[in-house]
Amino acid sequence: MIFRRFCTSVLAFVAFVAASSVAFSQAWPSKPVRIVVPFAPGGTTDLLARAVAPELTKALGQSFIVENRAGAGGNIGSEAVAKSNDGHTLLMGTVGTHGINRALYPTLPYDPIKDFAPITVVAYVPNVMVMNAEKARSLNIQNVNDFIAYAKKNPGKLNMASSGNGTSIHLAGELFKSMTGSYLVHFPYRGSGPALLDLVGGSMDVMFDNLPSALPHIRSGKLTAFAVTSGKRSDALPNVPTVAEAAGLKEFEASSWFGLLAPAAMPADQVRRIQAEVSKALATPAVKERLLSQGAIPGGNTPQQFAAHIAAEHEKWAKVVKASGAKVD
């Protein structure tokens, strides 16, 4: 009898713990969730965060609010998320914050692997070499080879904007400079948005921007697209060659990715829940078509796959940084 009562008590306790765990999981989020974008508004990181936020709001019943915390090539916003402990803060990380910066900066205020729990890649994106259209016409630069010829003949006379030190936009430009022997003056901004404004305005000459943020300006005719930096052409710009095609640089490839990450302490069940909802949203026709029309390829992989991808990206970009000679300005 005593044994039976003991077993009943144990089973009741186990059931209580299980029920409590489920309730805790279902209770999250219990307040609005911040998605920190470590760059200024208007760039691809910002655009993708704002595409995902309303889908998560609908799915999880709490507001997902995008917060821009720009600076230091994404390091300021990334550090803020790594050190947050409210359980309701996420990061829209990039190939820069979680693939390049570790190789580029002597020290980082966060560990891109130990301090984060990868959730899922939101999108893969090629970069595109764009020039202020009016400046290109005035200099009679019609393609990549014209650009290289002018840059070599006039070293330092062309300005290259980027979204910040260590971003894929910066590294794509540095790799181009290294492989073509051309000299461009680098101007790092606090995000793609403000850099594009100056590029369109004419105070900057060229940029290797993420395709989604540059595409509206290409379509409006304010920017001229010379080449994409990916291994193959983009469906969004099928008539624009790759850098490898346009300049005969067979080894040139510098694409970007963007993904959601949480502080390392976030429980695994919450990470899986967010991943499931993001993956579901990215598969819906409306969201999928929206991203594809902007030149982005929807993601949705598992946390484990994303973690493996980040590890591989560290190794890849360390080689690119070394080969390009890129430095933090």
Side-chain angles (χ1 to χ4, degrees):
M1 179 66 70
I2 295 175
F3 179 73
R4 184 182 301 170
R5 288 177 179 173
F6 173 75
C7 290
T8 301
S9 298
V10 169
L11 290 173
F13 176 74
V14 170
F16 170 77
V17 170
S20 299
S21 298
V22 171
F24 178 80
S25 177
Q26 290 175 342
W28 190 93
S30 59
K31 62 180 182 178
V33 179
R34 292 183 301 149
I35 300 178
V36 173
V37 170
F39 299 99
T44 298
T45 318
D46 185 65
L47 294 174
L48 291 173
R50 294 182 191 281
V52 168
E55 301 300 321
L56 288 172
T57 295
K58 287 188 291 186
L60 298 176
Q62 282 283 357
S63 296
F64 280 70
I65 302 165
V66 175
E67 177 183 310
N68 298 88
R69 298 194 66 175
N75 291 342
I76 291 175
S78 299
E79 179 187 13
V81 175
K83 295 179 178 178
S84 67
N85 57 9
D86 64 357
H88 287 72
T89 301
L90 305 176
L91 175 74
M92 181 60 81
T94 71
V95 63
T97 61
H98 283 73
I100 297 172
N101 286 3
R102 197 182 209 181
L104 190 65
Y105 286 82
T107 59
L108 283 181
Y110 62 93
D111 188 308
I113 293 180
K114 293 180 181 179
D115 290 344
F116 292 89
I119 298 173
T120 189
V121 169
V122 173
Y124 303 91
V125 174
N127 290 6
V128 59
M129 180 184 180
V130 286
M131 188 172 182
N132 177 281
E134 186 175 337
K135 185 70 172 284
R137 284 192 295 269
S138 69
L139 298 177
N140 196 30
I141 297 176
Q142 301 179 34
N143 52 48
V144 175
N145 287 326
D146 287 346
F147 183 92
I148 294 170
Y150 181 88
K152 285 185 173 182
K153 189 175 180 180
N154 301 275
K157 288 190 176 181
L158 292 175
N159 296 327
M160 181 185 79
S162 84
S163 54
N165 287 310
T167 61
S168 70
I169 296 171
H170 172 207
L171 262 291
E174 293 293 343
L175 188 60
F176 180 85
K177 288 162 60 177
S178 173
M179 294 182 73
T180 61
S182 54
Y183 176 61
L184 309 171
V185 181
H186 176 221
F187 285 83
Y189 285 73
R190 291 169 66 87
S192 180
L196 278 170
L197 286 177
D198 279 358
L199 185 65
V200 170
S203 57
M204 289 289 114
D205 301 317
V206 68
M207 188 172 173
F208 291 77
D209 193 31
N210 302 138
L211 183 52
S213 48
L215 198 54
H217 302 292
I218 295 170
R219 288 172 173 164
S220 73
K222 294 177 180 177
L223 298 180
T224 297
F226 288 146
V228 292
T229 65
S230 47
K232 63 179 183 178
R233 296 191 183 198
S234 168
D235 290 341
L237 293 173
N239 295 322
V240 175
T242 65
V243 171
E245 289 176 317
L249 304 175
K250 295 181 180 180
E251 301 301 317
F252 192 100
E253 199 279 326
S255 297
S256 303
W257 52 261
F258 304 81
L260 278 176
L261 302 104
M266 178 170 276
D269 61 335
Q270 291 177 13
V271 169
R272 288 192 297 269
R273 189 176 176 202
I274 299 168
Q275 185 276 332
E277 295 300 341
V278 172
S279 181
K280 190 187 302 180
L282 293 174
T284 61
V287 176
K288 187 175 182 180
E289 180 55 35
R290 178 180 175 185
L291 295 187
L292 290 173
S293 68
Q294 295 176 338
I297 301 170
N301 58 357
T302 66
Q304 294 76 16
Q305 290 168 333
F306 189 15
H309 181 65
I310 289 173
E313 288 290 273
H314 279 296
E315 184 176 347
K316 169 189 170 180
W317 286 101
K319 294 177 182 177
V320 173
V321 169
K322 183 177 181 180
S324 69
K327 298 178 181 179
V328 176
D329 297 336

